[in-house]
Amino acid sequence: MLPLLLHPFQILTSKPSRLIYLQTFLLLTTSTLLLLIATTAYIIFYNTYIPPLGISKPLFFHYSPPLPPSASTTFSPGDLITNQKYTITLHLTLPSSPRNIDHGNFNCHIFLSTPTGEKLLDARRPGIMTYSSPLLATLKTLFASPLLVTGVTRQEERLHIVVAEGVEFVGEPGGVRVEIDDGIAVYDARLEFVARFEGLRWVMYQWRGVSFVVFTGVFWGLNVCGRWGFGIWFLGGWGGRRRRRRRRRRRRRGMGMGSSHCVLVMFNGLFQPLLDDLRYGRHILPPRLHLRLRERIGRQRVGRVGWGMMRRRIIMKSMKD
């Protein structure tokens, strides 16, 4: 009864089972490690290939008549990349003052350059505040007076001026300079860069989960196939070298038989009639010796060296007779 109960445990702990456990453990460990490497590689590739969707830089205008108001800012490495389309928008918050309203149209001038000072973009766009009749302005002020008095809101207007669309940079931008016409009062200003993804970047950004699974799986599969092929090549080459070494050793052993092998090589012409006697029934040898050799050859299979030993014994036997 006890052997029957222990039989499953003996099967589970047998040497083939332990070998299967070891192979499974190695396979899972290697696959997990390669999966971690593929995931890390995809994350690095995504952060390198996909730029930030948009960046916004605050602007602080400097007023120094007679020069127009201007503001400058710089970019950090990686904020904007080359060969990528961007939409540049200038956001201005202007007070609804009579001076700004009477000014009418005004120009916004943007200079974009590399860290070395090379010009990348020179764009100019107009802007204007929304017109309101005196009656409408009075009604707006009357209805918004509680909020204006408490300071919850202000008499202001926000303008969004698109300076450039679908612009690509041949070099990495290092700084930007913005100028507006003199006489415009500004509450707040900021410059926004929004990336317009196309092609592979659009797919990777819009379908992040699917892209992660596909690219990680492809990279993991390439790693597995590459390491599997390298292992087969290495082990196959090592095994082939071992087989070649064995063949050379066998040849050396076969060539190192001493004087008997030399005698067989030198007197090969004398042994051919004996082989013909055994193969074709030409009874050159005595009948008893012929039958004895036929029986012995029928019981065992001999190679080239075996035939040589057999020939030597035939010669020795013939000499004794």
Side-chain angles (χ1 to χ4, degrees):
M1 186 65 181
L2 184 59
L4 293 177
L5 295 177
L6 295 178
H7 183 67
F9 297 98
Q10 293 176 355
I11 296 176
L12 294 176
T13 57
S14 62
K15 186 175 181 179
S17 300
R18 292 197 301 269
L19 182 60
I20 293 175
Y21 301 154
L22 179 60
Q23 292 176 351
T24 304
F25 174 76
L26 293 177
L27 178 62
L28 293 178
T29 304
T30 306
S31 300
T32 304
L33 180 61
L34 293 179
L35 183 61
L36 292 177
I37 294 175
T39 303
T40 305
Y42 177 78
I43 293 174
I44 295 174
F45 172 71
Y46 183 88
N47 293 331
T48 304
Y49 187 68
I50 304 298
L53 179 61
I55 60 172
S56 180
K57 293 290 184 178
L59 300 176
F60 304 96
F61 287 97
H62 178 66
Y63 293 86
S64 57
L67 298 177
S70 62
S72 300
T73 184
T74 58
F75 301 102
S76 302
D79 288 344
L80 302 175
I81 63 174
T82 59
N83 301 323
Q84 171 61 48
K85 294 183 179 181
Y86 288 94
T87 298
I88 306 175
T89 306
L90 178 62
H91 302 276
L92 295 174
T93 302
L94 307 179
S96 300
S97 61
R99 182 180 177 181
N100 285 346
I101 295 175
D102 295 339
H103 192 283
N105 289 319
F106 61 92
N107 292 319
C108 301
H109 198 181
I110 293 181
F111 302 91
L112 200 66
S113 60
T114 62
T116 58
E118 182 181 357
K119 184 174 67 174
L120 296 177
L121 178 65
D122 186 357
R124 188 186 299 268
R125 291 292 186 275
I128 187 172
M129 297 186 67
T130 305
Y131 171 77
S132 297
S133 63
L135 178 60
L136 183 59
T138 302
L139 293 177
K140 286 182 179 180
T141 304
L142 181 62
F143 282 104
S145 58
L147 299 178
L148 294 173
V149 172
T150 56
V152 176
T153 185
R154 297 180 299 181
Q155 288 183 315
E156 62 185 14
E157 183 177 352
R158 292 183 174 85
L159 299 181
H160 308 285
I161 303 173
V162 179
V163 180
E165 290 183 294
V167 61
E168 296 184 17
F169 307 122
V170 295
E172 186 176 0
V176 63
R177 177 183 175 87
V178 181
E179 295 181 357
I180 59 175
D181 289 348
D182 192 13
I184 298 296
V186 179
Y187 277 153
D188 181 64
R190 59 188 179 90
L191 191 63
E192 185 180 34
F193 294 80
V194 179
R196 296 174 55 183
F197 295 140
E198 296 179 351
L200 182 60
R201 284 195 175 106
W202 183 86
V203 173
M204 293 179 64
Y205 184 81
Q206 294 294 334
W207 304 90
R208 300 179 187 178
V210 177
S211 300
F212 172 77
V213 173
V214 172
F215 282 94
T216 303
V218 170
F219 192 77
W220 177 79
L222 292 177
N223 281 335
V224 171
C225 293
R227 282 160 175 77
W228 181 68
F230 175 77
I232 291 179
W233 172 80
F234 179 78
L235 294 178
W238 181 66
R241 289 193 294 270
R242 291 189 63 185
R243 288 191 293 269
R244 288 192 293 270
R245 290 174 185 173
R246 290 177 181 175
R247 291 174 184 173
R248 285 195 291 267
R249 290 174 184 174
R250 291 175 182 174
R251 291 175 183 174
R252 291 172 184 173
R253 292 174 183 176
M255 295 296 293
M257 293 183 62
S259 60
S260 62
H261 182 76
C262 296
V263 171
L264 293 176
V265 173
M266 294 174 62
F267 298 97
N268 187 31
L270 298 176
F271 305 146
Q272 192 63 37
L274 302 178
L275 291 177
D276 295 340
D277 177 75
L278 296 176
R279 291 178 181 175
Y280 306 111
R282 299 173 184 174
H283 299 288
I284 300 175
L285 300 176
R288 292 182 180 179
L289 181 59
H290 178 81
L291 294 176
R292 190 183 306 171
L293 292 176
R294 294 286 295 184
E295 292 177 358
R296 185 167 182 178
I297 293 175
R299 287 196 302 266
Q300 61 181 1
R301 309 177 79 182
V302 293
R304 295 181 62 183
V305 178
W307 277 112
M309 296 296 295
M310 186 66 66
R311 294 169 185 175
R312 185 181 177 188
R313 292 178 181 176
I314 292 171
I315 293 173
M316 299 298 293
K317 185 67 175 178
S318 301
M319 292 173 65
K320 291 181 181 180
D321 294 341

